[in-house]
Amino acid sequence: MTRIEAVRGDITEQHVDAVVNAANSSLLGGGGVDGAIHRKGGPEILSACRDLRASRYGKGLPTGQAVATTAGRLPARWVIHTVGPVWSATEDRSALLASCYRESLRVADELGARTVAFPAISTGIYGWPMDDGARIAVETVRAADTAVDEVRFVLFDDRALTEFTAALSTS
Ligand code: ADP
C-alpha cells in the first residue's frame, strides 16, 4: 500500500528519494517548479537534461512521459522530469495529466525510489484548474500499481493544499 499525503511546502526542499519536476518538453528549464529545481539543484541537472536531448529525446520529452536525472545539489537523489499538458477548455487532456503521475511512478519503480514528492503538475503556467488537477493526481496515484511506499504532494499555497486535502478525503 502506498501512503499518500499532502503538505504545504517547496518541492526543492523535500528529503525524499525522488522529486518530480513539472518540466516542459525541451527539458532545458523554465519557470515555476522547473526553474526552482534547476536553480537549487545546480548545473548538473541541466547537463544531464542536455545529454537526454542529445540521445533519447532529440525532439524533446513528449507530454505525459517521464524521465529521470540526478538531483544535483537537492536533498533528493533523483529528479523525475515529466511534461504536463497545457489546459484546454475545448479538448479533454486529462488522460495526459494522469499519464504524468503514472509514468513518474513507473520511473520511480525502475530507480528503486520508495519515497516520491510531486508538485501539482500543469496547475501553474499550464493553467489547469486546481480542483480538477488535484482530483486527477489523487485518483491516478491511488490506482497505480507501484512499489513506492510514500507519495507526498507538495503544494505551494493554501489553495492548492485545500484542493488536494479535499481530493484525498473522498473515497
Ligand atoms: P506547469 O507548467 O506544469 O503548470 P508550474 O511549475 O508552472 O508547472 O506549476 C505547477 C504548480 O507548482 C503550481 O501550482 C505552482 O504554484 C507550484 N509551484 C511553483 N513552484 C513550486 C515549488 N518550488 N514547490 C512546489 N510547488 C511549486
Side-chain angles (χ1 to χ4, degrees):
M1 258 303 262
T2 308
R3 191 169 64 250
I4 309 176
E5 60 174 13
V7 300
R8 191 176 158 172
D10 183 331
I11 194 101
T12 63
E13 290 169 5
Q14 302 303 307
H15 291 255
V16 287
D17 293 333
V19 295
V20 175
N21 180 16
N24 60 54
S25 129
S26 80
L27 291 176
L28 301 179
V33 171
D34 204 8
I37 283 178
H38 283 288
R39 212 160 37 243
K40 290 209 191 158
E44 222 190 319
I45 302 175
L46 191 56
S47 158
C49 286
R50 287 214 175 92
D51 289 346
L52 284 168
R53 282 301 304 276
S55 55
R56 280 165 70 187
Y57 297 107
K59 292 182 181 155
L61 181 65
T63 304
Q65 294 191 26
V67 67
T69 66
T70 171
R73 294 197 290 259
L74 297 180
R77 194 157 162 208
W78 298 286
V79 173
I80 298 173
H81 307 264
T82 189
V83 183
V86 176
W87 164 256
S88 164
T90 54
E91 186 188 12
D92 181 7
R93 298 177 179 166
S94 46
L96 285 168
L97 183 55
S99 175
C100 289
Y101 289 98
R102 205 177 308 111
E103 286 299 301
S104 295
L105 289 173
R106 193 183 57 73
V107 170
D109 283 335
E110 278 174 13
L111 294 166
R114 305 309 289 263
T115 52
V116 178
F118 280 98
I121 299 166
S122 287
T123 63
I125 297 160
Y126 285 0
W128 207 284
M130 189 59 78
D131 54 349
D132 198 56
R135 181 187 59 78
I136 291 168
V138 168
E139 281 179 5
T140 306
V141 170
R142 275 184 175 152
D145 180 18
T146 173
V148 169
D149 293 324
E150 183 192 323
V151 165
R152 188 182 305 163
F153 292 113
V154 180
L155 294 325
F156 216 38
D157 56 33
D158 282 334
R159 170 85 211 290
L161 179 61
T162 301
E163 295 295 355
F164 272 75
T165 304
L168 281 169
S169 71
T170 62
S171 51

